[in-house]
Amino acid sequence: MKNQKLLLLLLLFYSATFFAQDISIGKRDKVYSEILQQDREFSVYLPPSYNTSVSQKYPMLYILDGDYNFQYVAGFLELQGAISEIIPEMILVAISGKGTNEYRKNCKPNIDGVEDSGNAKEVVNFIEKELIPYVNKNYKASDYKILGGHSVGGIFVVNTAINHPDLFNNYIAISPALWWGKNAMEDVLKNTWGKTESTTASLYISLANEKGMGVSEFVKKIPKSIMEKNVKYQEFPNETHNSVGLVTYKWALTDIFKNWFVEKLYFSSAPELKNHYAEVQKQYGNIFNITPSVVGYTNYILKKNDKERKKVAEAFKVLSTDAYVLFNNAQAGDLMEAEKYEEAELLLKEALTTNPNSFDSYNVLAKVKMANGNATEASKTIEKAIYLSNQQNARQWQKNELLETKDNIDKKL
């Protein structure tokens, strides 16, 4: 009896251990900095399509005090990019603050006469000459980059936007602590922007329901020509200093990518599709990802216009390998419903030739085989899909779609 109880306890323990798996939203990385003479750690968030995409490159968001802000910003990018599809899927690089004192020192510029100066100049050099090249080499990074920072980190963002306007495409300063050094950043503004009145930087500045931050005073001193062209300022009176980050990122990133977003969620013709992404390419230097919703709705709109749908398919093929695969998957689903199984399998074969690691294509193929009465082949196909999804660290909601297909197939065996 004792042995049976012991065995039961062991089984319960191993069962609990098996199901108690960690859920990860990112990875930890580091690069040694010759400039700073130390290892610099950072956290990286990779979007859901990252491991399945063939040739996709992603816009980059670099943020300060990454250990403090990583989780909520990563979650926001997942929501707005992969789920809401309002902005492109993005890669987040969250630079470690390495403790409060060092973080503050790293964010503040060295200004004559300001006792509490820092080494922001060296940190900018590290980011430009060491961190960005490392990230570009090791991740699917596009050249489109955004820098964000909150409070003291906002000082760093404003200073970088003024002195290194071409380093990033956009800068997001969240309730920046511009009271620092008796409003010392106003002198930086005057000595740089005030003289040249020329910058390519797009700077977003926000302010919560705070007093004495020096933000509104700073904004008033920005030259009118620069304010109208390069700076956007938004107050959020219903937010506190610690809550304003989320709404600021939503405001700024939605505005930054407003011309990437497909408002009506579909294209009714190949020329319309090509024209939109030609403008996107022109503005952002990359079309980034074409969302599953846009691909799916476009296919739906063109269901009764096979001639135009073929033209759209060819346009997708040129614009985005990943969108082309998704479009084939969507068409195959329609053909399956029409009981045109051979045509559906041909489209899926083309999709899998283009991207052999597409577990979504294998999922649709398994459904086609099952609908065509070949449950054994369907079972092998969905197992392949599940294997690939595990290899690619797919999100659980993506895996659930495959498991649902598997369950339906198993009932037929």
Side-chain angles (χ1 to χ4, degrees):
M1 178 65 79
K2 289 182 179 180
N3 289 338
Q4 289 178 335
K5 289 182 178 180
L6 179 60
L7 179 60
L8 178 60
L9 287 171
L10 286 171
L11 287 171
L12 289 172
F13 171 78
Y14 285 118
S15 177
T17 303
F18 177 77
F19 286 106
Q21 300 178 35
D22 291 336
I23 298 174
S24 174
I25 63 168
K27 60 179 290 187
R28 195 72 167 172
D29 204 344
K30 68 178 179 180
V31 59
Y32 181 76
S33 171
E34 293 287 350
I35 294 170
L36 300 175
Q37 291 292 295
Q38 60 181 200
D39 281 327
R40 292 297 308 192
E41 295 184 350
F42 55 95
S43 298
V44 182
Y45 158 81
L46 302 174
S49 69
Y50 187 86
N51 290 316
T52 58
S53 66
V54 178
S55 57
Q56 182 64 54
K57 293 206 170 183
Y58 298 85
M60 304 298 301
L61 175 59
Y62 289 79
I63 65 172
L64 286 306
D65 202 8
D67 295 337
Y68 189 75
N69 296 310
F70 176 70
Q71 274 88 353
Y72 95 82
V73 178
F76 167 78
L77 293 180
E78 182 98 356
L79 172 64
Q80 295 296 94
I83 298 173
S84 302
E85 299 178 343
I86 292 172
I87 62 174
E89 289 187 292
M90 301 178 68
I91 296 174
L92 171 65
V93 175
I95 305 168
S96 174
K98 294 181 72 68
T100 300
N101 292 333
E102 183 163 352
Y103 170 66
R104 290 175 177 172
K105 177 185 175 183
N106 287 339
C107 288
K108 298 172 183 176
N110 190 343
I111 299 176
D112 290 340
V114 177
E115 184 177 346
D116 188 24
S117 286
N119 67 330
K121 181 178 180 179
E122 289 76 13
V123 176
V124 169
N125 286 337
F126 153 69
I127 291 173
E128 178 180 10
K129 297 174 182 178
E130 296 175 326
L131 179 60
I132 291 174
Y134 176 86
V135 169
N136 288 347
K137 181 180 179 181
N138 291 280
Y139 297 92
K140 298 177 182 179
S142 75
D143 290 330
Y144 198 88
K145 305 181 295 296
I146 301 167
L147 178 67
H150 186 184
S151 193
V152 179
I155 300 174
F156 184 91
V157 170
V158 171
N159 184 65
T160 307
I162 293 172
N163 289 294
H164 306 272
D166 296 326
L167 183 53
F168 291 87
N169 298 86
N170 300 281
Y171 297 83
I172 304 173
I174 305 164
S175 278
L178 297 177
W179 55 263
W180 166 75
K182 297 181 179 179
N183 305 91
M185 289 304 299
E186 291 183 11
D187 290 332
V188 176
L189 170 68
K190 180 181 178 181
N191 294 334
T192 307
W193 274 356
K195 289 183 178 180
T196 63
E197 293 196 6
S198 176
T199 177
T200 59
S202 175
L203 173 61
Y204 292 78
I205 304 174
S206 71
L207 179 66
N209 62 349
E210 307 153 285
K211 306 296 181 183
M213 291 296 288
V215 175
S216 58
E217 295 84 352
F218 177 88
V219 170
K220 289 176 183 177
K221 294 185 178 181
I222 297 175
K224 184 179 179 181
S225 60
I226 294 177
M227 188 68 196
E228 291 177 348
K229 182 181 178 182
N230 303 104
V231 180
K232 298 193 178 184
Y233 174 55
Q234 181 70 46
E235 294 183 1
F236 295 96
N238 295 323
E239 302 295 336
T240 67
H241 185 67
N242 289 332
S243 72
V244 73
L246 184 63
V247 294
T248 301
Y249 280 121
K250 184 176 182 180
W251 160 62
L253 292 174
T254 300
D255 187 70
I256 288 167
F257 292 110
K258 63 185 177 184
N259 293 327
W260 169 89
F261 179 62
V262 182
E263 189 170 358
K264 67 177 185 178
L265 293 181
Y266 67 87
F267 297 101
S268 54
S269 70
E272 185 184 12
L273 170 67
K274 293 175 183 178
N275 289 339
H276 175 79
Y277 286 107
E279 289 300 314
V280 169
Q281 178 73 38
K282 182 179 178 181
Q283 178 172 346
Y284 303 101
N286 197 302
I287 67 170
F288 307 128
N289 65 300
I290 301 177
T291 69
S293 290
V294 167
V295 174
Y297 283 128
T298 298
N299 174 68
Y300 178 78
I301 290 295
L302 297 174
K303 281 179 72 171
K304 296 181 180 180
N305 189 348
D306 194 53
K307 183 177 179 180
E308 191 62 38
R309 185 157 72 166
K310 287 179 180 178
K311 292 179 181 178
V312 166
E314 288 303 311
F316 275 132
K317 190 173 185 179
V318 173
L319 289 168
S320 167
T321 300
D322 300 306
Y324 175 65
V325 169
L326 288 173
F327 197 64
N328 275 20
N329 294 348
Q331 290 183 84
D334 292 341
L335 290 168
M336 177 185 68
E337 291 180 3
E339 298 184 358
K340 297 179 180 180
Y341 305 121
E342 290 186 9
E343 291 181 49
E345 290 204 26
L346 283 174
L347 276 176
L348 292 168
K349 183 178 179 180
E350 171 67 17
L352 288 167
T353 299
T354 304
N355 182 3
N357 294 317
S358 173
F359 56 78
D360 184 51
S361 296
Y362 277 109
N363 184 35
V364 180
L365 182 58
K367 291 179 180 180
V368 171
K369 288 181 179 296
M370 181 175 66
N372 198 22
N374 196 340
T376 301
E377 283 298 312
S379 180
K380 293 178 182 177
T381 304
I382 196 61
E383 289 294 346
K384 176 71 173 180
I386 293 170
Y387 170 78
L388 287 172
S389 72
N390 288 328
Q391 290 293 108
Q392 296 162 17
N393 296 316
R395 301 297 194 262
Q396 188 59 49
W397 61 265
Q398 294 172 310
K399 294 180 181 180
N400 288 346
E401 297 300 313
L402 310 182
L403 293 172
E404 184 177 62
T405 301
K406 183 180 185 304
D407 184 55
N408 290 334
I409 292 170
D410 288 345
K411 291 175 182 177
K412 299 287 185 179
L413 291 173

